[in-house]
Amino acid sequence: MVDLDSEAAAGTVQDRALQQLYTDFDTAGLKPLWTVRDGLMPVAPTPRAVPHVWPWDRLLPLAARAGDLVPVGRGGERRAIALANPGLPGDPFATATLWAAVQYLGPREVAPAHRHSQNAFRFVLDGEGVWTVVDGDPVAMRRGDLLLTPGWAWHEHHNTADTAMVWLDGLDIPLNAQLDAGFFEFGPDQLTDTSTPAASRGERLWAHPGLRPLSAEADTVHSPLPAYRWTHTDAALTAQLELADEGHPALVEPGHAAVRFVNPTTGRDALATLRLEMHRLAAGAATATRREVGSSVWQVFSGQATVLLDGREHQVGTGDLLAVPSWCPVSLRSPDGADLFRFSDAPSYQALHLDRHQVGDPA
Ligand code: GTQ
Ligand code: FE2
């Protein structure tokens, strides 16, 4: 015979004991796996960051207002306005690992020297007149150029023109923060180098296709090339599409030309933690759907495209920025053609052997 009363009592006793166990776990600074495993070890990545688009025509006027109202100088260091992913409320992060910001430097303004462990690049959507001085080497910034500021390199920016200049900054700030790896040091308050050479010393030494100076036998972690010029990037993409037209293999997929900016000493990514690429879609081209572990940010350099992010369509044009979280399916198409700059955290994932990708529509 079942004694209902005593069973209920036993249940209550057990419940109370269990409650006490969880309370004691908590007090002792412990957390049992069985209460958290689902979220901790998902069947596939579950990023908090969401797919998101920042239209250039909203960003640019806001940056210009900051130019009027907010001085650039010691302390704040840069008039950089970060993309803040709505899935990461309170954080100035485009994705879990990537910082993307629009930096605005007014006529004749100077952003003072500093250095930090975070790796950085600048991509120039438009304009010219700013030189960024990287470890004492002045590097001109012009439309379509990609400039590198590897971690711990001193850098300052100065605008020699009577017009403001705006560009995209990309850094691994969130990754450094997550890894508790950040170091920062202020440089001199005054501009250290006012010269404005057409070509930096780094380019004069390294920017000759396929030619390595024999004075530099040792490979370097980051690229020794401070700038990748638009004329070269453009020519490479043009040649890929022409070769394909002539029936030779040169494209990622039909109508899709692409290059990666690499370290000429190794052929690997130009920066240890950031992958940098330029993509060109020929008129009428459409890409396959692709997703990968790790996140990316795209900026449309020219033209217009339709981007499908996790099944949602976004129309984007020149200057527009988009964030693609880890494992989010992406496909692009462009009726009239478009050039798109892309950066991602892929080198970090590859270094840790956590990289995976999938091509084709997710089942
Ligand atoms: O230009 O040195 O967007 O240090 C964020 C941090 C730019 C820069 C950013 C920086 C910089
Ligand atoms: Fe910096």
Side-chain angles (χ1 to χ4, degrees), residues 78 114 116 122 155:
R78 304 292 186 256
H114 67 208
H116 37 73
R122 338 225 163 257
H155 53 288

Side-chain angles (χ1 to χ4, degrees), residues 342-361:
R342 172 185 190 255
F343 71 102
S344 79
D345 51 20
S348 303
Y349 286 80
Q350 288 185 342
L352 299 172
H353 300 282
L354 291 170
D355 53 309
R356 287 197 195 204
H357 70 271
Q358 188 183 68
V359 181
D361 286 305

Side-chain angles (χ1 to χ4, degrees), residues 77-78 80 99 101 103 114 116 122 155 157 167 169 171 173 184:
E77 299 296 287
R78 304 292 186 256
W99 167 278
Q103 184 165 165
H114 67 208
H116 37 73
R122 338 225 163 257
H155 53 288
H157 318 307
W167 63 83
D169 289 322
L171 290 90
I173 292 174
F184 186 99

Side-chain angles (χ1 to χ4, degrees), residues 212-224:
R212 179 175 185 151
L214 287 194
S215 59
E217 288 281 19
D219 291 353
T220 53
V221 171
H222 307 294
S223 174

